[in-house]
Amino acid sequence: AKCTSSVVGIRTTTSVMSFFGGSSEQTGNGSGVIYTADGYIITNYHVISEAVEAANSKIDVFIGNSQSTSYPASVVGYNISCDLAVIKIDAKGLTPIELSDSNQLKVGQYVVTIGAPGGLEFMGSVTYGIISGLSRTVSTNTGLKLIQTDAAINPGNSGGALLDAQGKLIGINSSKIASVEYEGMGFAIPVNTVKEKCDKIISKKGDR
């Protein structure tokens, strides 16, 4: 209840040219969290990457549900190696997410996710679990240390919130390992890393 108004749905729309010269629209969905009351929103870079890379594209943000009025968003900046991006909508009086301290996390503590698994029609979906591990490295290319959780994370949850039992943000949901052999392993970028990188992006000091 405390956090649902701070988690948004994100839809990217890109125009794709066909081999025969025609065009069609391609959409993608993800989640984000409201960082400031005046419209800065944090998400994963991979949620908006197609819109960043395509000339004819747009990003829309939905607050509340997929039937609500959408806000056009602009890209403030991004950090590809950390899979983080900041976008901005023209709005005032939004409800920013409250931040925790990811250095204080303990394996076994309860966590909750909020996002839009499977598409914007499922915005505000909540799952829960525990922290399964800390300082996990999924990609050796970046060396980024992630929070591991057994809370269900599905396509569309990317960029959404991983919260502690007090409703404070402890991470941004980023990736999942899933196969026949795995029940599912979810990973999130720790909030301290998120704050550091996104503050640099907003102040135009972030690398791309």
Side-chain angles (χ1 to χ4, degrees), residues 7 16 36 51-52 56 62 65 71 74 87 96 99 108 110 157 185 188 192 194 198 203:
V7 180
V16 180
T36 65
V52 169
N56 299 316
F62 296 80
N65 58 66
Y71 295 82
S74 60
I87 59 178
L99 306 185
Y110 287 111
N157 272 118
M185 296 168 63
N192 291 14
V194 172
C198 290
S203 64

Side-chain angles (χ1 to χ4, degrees), residues 3-58:
C3 303
T4 49
S5 59
S6 301
V7 180
V8 303
I10 298 173
R11 173 177 292 151
T12 60
T13 307
T14 57
S15 181
V16 180
M17 298 297 296
S18 72
F19 179 78
F20 300 101
S23 65
S24 61
E25 286 192 341
Q26 182 173 302
T27 62
N29 298 311
S31 303
V33 299
I34 296 173
Y35 191 48
T36 65
D38 60 349
Y40 284 98
I41 292 168
I42 296 171
T43 187
N44 289 140
Y45 173 71
H46 78 260
V47 169
I48 64 163
S49 60
E50 290 188 1
V52 169
E53 296 162 5
N56 299 316
S57 63
K58 64 177 182 175

Side-chain angles (χ1 to χ4, degrees), residues 92-186:
K92 303 291 184 183
L94 302 177
T95 304
I97 201 86
E98 186 178 356
L99 306 185
S100 183
D101 179 0
S102 50
N103 288 335
Q104 304 301 315
L105 298 177
K106 304 293 183 184
V107 172
Q109 77 179 72
Y110 287 111
V111 293
V112 171
T113 74
I114 303 179
L120 298 187
E121 62 269 31
F122 298 107
M123 276 181 61
S125 293
V126 178
T127 61
Y128 80 97
I130 61 168
I131 293 177
S132 305
L134 298 167
S135 298
R136 301 297 204 202
T137 302
V138 176
S139 171
T140 55
N141 294 330
T142 65
L144 187 63
K145 303 297 185 181
L146 302 175
I147 302 165
Q148 180 189 340
T149 178
D150 67 347
I153 296 176
N154 295 287
N157 272 118
S158 291
L162 183 69
L163 306 157
D164 64 16
Q166 286 72 48
K168 296 180 181 180
L169 185 73
I170 60 173
I172 295 292
N173 298 323
S174 182
S175 58
K176 178 182 181 179
I177 297 174
S179 72
V180 175
E181 294 83 10
Y182 291 92
E183 182 66 26
M185 296 168 63

